[in-house]
């Protein structure tokens, strides 16, 4: 067997595989002998069928199968030996004059080659790594929310701002009969909320659905209206008030502190705020890191220039799925996936240049830490090492979980590398300012 490669250009190559009779004849003979021993053909005893009949009935099929096996085995071996870094899989070139009646065959395959490029993280400029802090307003709001959450519900005669109102939205013509628990801040306009002020249980407030909420999709939640009907819905609905309640905030005393954080762990409002601040800023740090990771990714995609074997990849996409695609469909699919492919190549290059690897110990440690955090959320703050190790072993026995966790570990390693090597300005902001600067909201 003879295999040669012709590099068309830096991104495309053609491999020619020449298969002679000596390369496949022993396998064909062995397969035909197997048929000879096991074939059941009317008029002949099992094992007594003439080889000429076996050859006539199965010869062409066996030939195709065995030549293809030899071809694929040697092609794969060649790619490994030559250490060719390819995109997609080799695509066979169709030969119009191919003749299976010949004893020697020549096959050609197109290859898409991975582009050669480098990634220089030091060239990335102008990025900001946010450090988000919980300001006094946020801490005061959180304490107020916690006090209300653990407070006592009190029945009221009339509605005031901030009350909870239980009732039913009704419109017989639209078959709306939807029980709901509301507060007045759900409505888009203050004028709508003001209609409820001073009302009592048994009173009915008539509302128009057009612009009732900030988002029309909320009509689905409160009125149980179908998605196709919510956009621009313009009908009157009655809200029949059935109960008015308010929450009396929990008293800030030691009993409340112990209920929230365990006996003796907190003894003042300042200590509650300190714990809320600590927990909030841990979550904020995760969001800030994700924003930084996204920004570095975007910068790498913008500034790392290299060509792809685009035409080859479009042809490969046409035949890669379960159902073949038209050239137009493949073109659209390539356009959707190109950035993802580019970042996979960039990420792989970054890992290679910086020798980033995932060891089994890395995976175990990451999984154990994740499990301890999850157990802590359910009150199990001091699990034994044996308990955690047992859960880790079960999790890592699932290959899908291993893949998912490996991606998370590598993402963490990439983030730490970017923090170390990418020049960025650190900026301290409140959470509200972070949202505004990041997303314009």
């Amino acid at each position: 067997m003879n295999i040669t490669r012709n590099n068309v250009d830096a991104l495309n190559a053609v491999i020619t595989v020449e298969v002679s009779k000596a390369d496949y004849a022993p396998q064909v003979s062995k397969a035909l002998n197997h048929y000879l021993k096991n074939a059941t053909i009317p008029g002949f005893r099992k094992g007594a069928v003439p080889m000429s009949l076996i050859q006539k009935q199965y010869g062409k099929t066996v030939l195709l199968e065995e030549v293809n096996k030899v071809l694929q085995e040697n092609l794969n071996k060649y790619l490994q030996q030559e250490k060719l870094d390819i995109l997609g899989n080799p695509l066979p070139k169709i030969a119009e004059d191919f003749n299976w009646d010949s004893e020697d065959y020549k096959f050609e395959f197109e290859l898409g080659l991975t582009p050669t490029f480098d990634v220089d993280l030091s060239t990335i400029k102008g990025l900001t790594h946010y450090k988000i802090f919980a300001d006094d307003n946020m801490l005061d709001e959180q304490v107020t929310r916690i006090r209300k959450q653990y407070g006592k519900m009190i029945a009221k005669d009339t509605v005031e701002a901030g009350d909870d109102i239980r009732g039913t939205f009704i419109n017989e013509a639209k078959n709306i009969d939807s029980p709901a628990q509301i507060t007045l801040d759900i409505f888009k306009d203050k004028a709508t909320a003001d209609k409820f002020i001073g009302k009592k249980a048994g009173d009915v407030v008539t509302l128009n659905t057009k612009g009732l909420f900030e988002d029309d999709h909320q009509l689905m939640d409160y009125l149980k209206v179908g998605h196709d009907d919510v956009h621009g819905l313009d009908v009157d609905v009655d809200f029949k008030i059935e109960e008015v309640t308010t929450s009396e905030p929990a008293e800030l005393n030691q009993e409340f502190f112990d209920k929230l954080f365990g006996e003796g762990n907190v003894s003042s409002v300042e200590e509650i705020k300190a714990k809320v601040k600590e927990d909030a800023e841990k979550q904020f740090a995760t969001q800030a890191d994700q924003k930084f990771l996204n920004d570095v990714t975007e910068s790498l995609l913008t500034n790392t220039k290299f060509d792809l074997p685009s035409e080859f990849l479009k042809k490969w996409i046409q035949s890669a799925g379960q159902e073949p695609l038209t050239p137009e469909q493949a073109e659209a699919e390539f356009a959707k996936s190109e950035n993802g492919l580019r970042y996979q190549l960039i990420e792989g290059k970054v890992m290679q240049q910086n020798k980033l690897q995932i060891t089994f110990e890395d995976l175990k440690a990451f999984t154990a830490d994740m499990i301890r955090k999850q157990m802590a959320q359910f009150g199990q703050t001091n699990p034994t090492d044996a308990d955690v190790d047992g859960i880790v072993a079960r999790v890592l026995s699932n290959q899908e979980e291993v893949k998912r966790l490996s991606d998370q570990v590598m993402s963490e390693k990439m983030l730490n590398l970017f923090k170390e090597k990418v020049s960025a300005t650190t900026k301290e902001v409140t959470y509200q300012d972070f949202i505004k600067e990041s997303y314009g909201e």
Side-chain angles (χ1 to χ4, degrees):
M1 180 174 296
N2 185 38
I3 302 180
T4 56
R5 180 174 83 251
N6 173 39
N7 290 330
V8 178
D9 54 38
L11 297 173
N12 296 274
V14 174
I15 286 182
T16 302
V17 184
E18 296 178 273
V19 181
S20 66
K21 185 175 182 180
D23 296 319
Y24 63 83
Q27 294 91 322
V28 170
S29 178
K30 182 178 179 181
L32 290 174
N33 280 321
H34 176 77
Y35 278 106
L36 185 66
K37 294 176 183 178
N38 297 283
T40 302
I41 296 178
F44 298 93
R45 289 182 292 105
K46 186 176 180 180
V49 180
M51 176 56 81
S52 59
L53 190 57
I54 294 293
Q55 177 72 42
K56 182 178 179 180
Q57 188 158 346
Y58 300 106
K60 183 59 68 71
T61 300
V62 169
L63 175 66
L64 267 61
E65 288 178 355
E66 297 305 325
V67 169
N68 188 58
K69 287 179 186 176
V70 169
L71 177 63
Q72 293 300 326
E73 179 183 343
N74 285 276
L75 178 59
N76 292 335
K77 189 182 297 183
Y78 175 83
L79 295 175
Q80 292 172 7
Q81 289 173 346
E82 295 293 309
K83 297 180 180 177
L84 289 177
D85 201 356
I86 65 174
L87 298 175
N89 293 316
L91 284 178
K93 294 184 71 174
I94 305 301
E96 299 295 338
D97 59 347
F98 192 86
N99 181 13
W100 278 106
D101 292 329
S102 174
E103 293 185 342
D104 298 328
Y105 309 106
K106 184 165 72 173
F107 302 90
E108 289 186 328
F109 294 87
E110 295 178 76
L111 298 184
L113 305 177
T114 299
T116 301
F117 63 95
D118 288 313
V119 178
D120 187 355
L121 297 177
S122 67
T123 63
I124 299 176
K125 305 295 182 184
L127 298 189
T128 300
H129 190 200
Y130 291 95
K131 184 176 181 181
I132 309 169
F133 64 91
D135 61 355
D136 290 338
N137 286 339
M138 173 176 279
L139 297 177
D140 289 340
E141 288 173 1
Q142 285 294 90
V143 170
T144 299
R145 183 188 63 77
I146 293 170
R147 290 183 67 192
K148 183 175 181 180
Q149 179 182 347
Y150 287 89
K152 181 171 61 175
M153 297 302 295
I154 299 173
K156 293 187 61 180
D157 292 329
T158 59
V159 175
E160 295 179 278
D163 289 344
D164 294 298
I165 308 166
R166 182 173 62 82
T168 303
F169 286 103
I170 300 169
N171 178 300
E172 293 184 4
K174 289 287 185 179
N175 294 316
I176 296 171
D177 187 352
S178 179
Q181 183 88 19
I182 67 171
T183 54
L184 299 183
D185 58 2
I186 67 169
F187 299 116
K188 183 176 181 179
D189 296 324
K190 183 176 183 299
T192 302
D194 288 345
K195 291 183 178 182
F196 286 82
I197 302 299
K199 294 293 189 291
K200 301 177 182 179
D203 288 345
V204 174
V205 179
T206 300
L207 309 167
N208 188 273
T209 57
K210 188 174 183 179
L212 184 61
F213 302 115
E214 197 70 43
D215 184 345
D216 282 347
H217 290 95
Q218 289 175 270
L219 294 169
M220 297 169 61
D221 299 324
Y222 288 105
L223 275 62
K224 301 299 183 286
V225 178
H227 181 271
D228 292 341
D229 298 324
V230 298
H231 295 288
L233 182 65
D234 187 1
V235 297
D236 287 338
V237 292
D238 291 333
F239 185 87
K240 183 177 181 181
I241 299 173
E242 295 160 8
E243 184 181 36
V244 182
T245 58
T246 190
S247 175
E248 182 180 89
E251 188 177 345
L252 292 171
N253 54 28
Q254 193 60 47
E255 180 183 356
F256 177 60
F257 300 151
D258 291 346
K259 183 177 182 180
L260 277 180
F261 300 104
E263 189 172 350
N265 290 321
V266 168
S267 58
S268 67
V269 175
E270 287 69 28
E271 290 181 11
I272 287 181
K273 289 183 178 181
K275 282 192 172 292
V276 169
K277 182 178 177 68
E278 179 183 1
D279 290 343
E281 290 180 353
K282 283 180 181 177
Q283 295 180 31
F284 295 160
T286 300
Q287 288 182 262
D289 283 347
Q290 186 60 55
K291 175 72 167 65
F292 181 63
L293 186 61
N294 292 345
D295 289 345
V296 175
T297 298
E298 188 66 32
S299 182
L300 287 171
L301 280 169
T302 300
N303 297 304
T304 307
K305 305 297 184 182
F306 55 85
D307 292 326
L308 291 171
S310 302
E311 294 309 312
F312 167 84
L313 289 170
K314 291 170 189 175
K315 285 197 287 186
W316 176 70
I317 288 171
Q318 278 188 260
S319 59
Q322 290 184 342
E323 296 291 334
L325 302 181
T326 66
E328 293 75 20
Q329 289 172 324
E331 179 88 32
E333 192 63 32
F334 177 74
K336 287 192 296 184
S337 60
E338 182 179 359
N339 269 356
L341 173 58
R342 286 183 177 276
Y343 189 68
Q344 282 182 8
L345 294 173
I346 293 170
E347 186 180 51
K349 181 64 70 173
V350 171
M351 291 164 58
Q352 178 190 15
Q353 290 180 182
N354 294 277
K355 297 180 172 59
L356 296 185
Q357 295 180 329
I358 300 175
T359 67
F360 187 65
E361 290 305 313
D362 290 335
L363 201 55
K364 281 177 61 180
F366 181 86
T367 307
D369 182 60
M370 178 190 71
I371 289 167
R372 289 183 186 278
K373 289 177 180 176
Q374 290 175 345
M375 295 176 78
Q377 291 177 351
F378 294 96
Q380 301 179 55
T381 54
N382 293 301
T384 66
D385 289 344
D387 287 341
V388 174
D389 289 345
I391 299 173
V392 168
R394 289 197 296 274
V395 171
L396 297 184
S397 66
N398 183 318
Q399 290 304 306
E400 289 185 6
E401 281 296 294
V402 169
K403 173 67 170 64
R404 184 180 66 83
L405 293 168
S406 295
D407 289 343
Q408 293 181 23
V409 172
M410 183 51 69
S411 180
E412 190 174 272
K413 285 179 178 283
M414 294 284 282
L415 173 63
N416 291 333
L417 177 73
F418 294 157
K419 285 181 178 180
E420 176 189 346
K421 296 202 171 186
V422 172
S423 177
T425 302
T426 299
K427 185 175 183 179
E428 292 196 16
V429 292
T430 65
Y431 183 70
Q432 290 79 6
D433 288 340
F434 170 73
I435 294 299
K436 287 178 184 177
E437 293 194 23
S438 301
Y439 309 107
E441 297 178 5

